[in-house]
Amino acid sequence: MYALIRQWQINGEVKHSLETSQGDEFLGTKDDVVEVFSKFHRKMIKGSYKRMQFMPGIDPDFQSL
């Protein structure tokens, strides 16, 4: 399983996207993507999933995910 978060410039606005290996896709603000990822992560933990790798990049808002 994986989740991938990307930053985009769309019509002069900064947007973020979330894509998961389950086929989920979401595009919105950084705060919205953090919220959607947190829900995805909680769902995976309930299913006994344990996160193996984490590469948060340089954005401090993603350091604590």
Side-chain angles (χ1 to χ4, degrees):
M1 296 249 176
Y2 71 84
L4 179 63
I5 297 173
R6 296 181 182 161
Q7 179 177 311
W8 303 91
Q9 285 282 350
I10 301 174
N11 297 325
E13 291 184 62
V14 176
K15 296 285 185 176
H16 290 77
S17 66
L18 171 71
E19 303 163 30
T20 72
S21 57
Q22 295 181 318
D24 301 314
E25 293 182 3
F26 180 80
L27 178 68
T29 67
K30 185 189 315 185
D31 289 342
D32 292 339
V33 168
V34 168
E35 183 177 329
V36 171
F37 175 80
S38 295
K39 288 178 184 177
F40 170 77
H41 188 242
R42 282 193 301 273
K43 185 172 104 177
M44 295 295 102
I45 289 172
K46 286 181 181 179
S48 299
Y49 169 80
K50 182 177 179 183
R51 185 163 49 189
M52 302 297 284
Q53 295 179 337
F54 179 59
M55 294 178 277
I58 60 172
D59 191 318
D61 290 332
F62 294 110
Q63 297 294 319
S64 63
L65 296 177

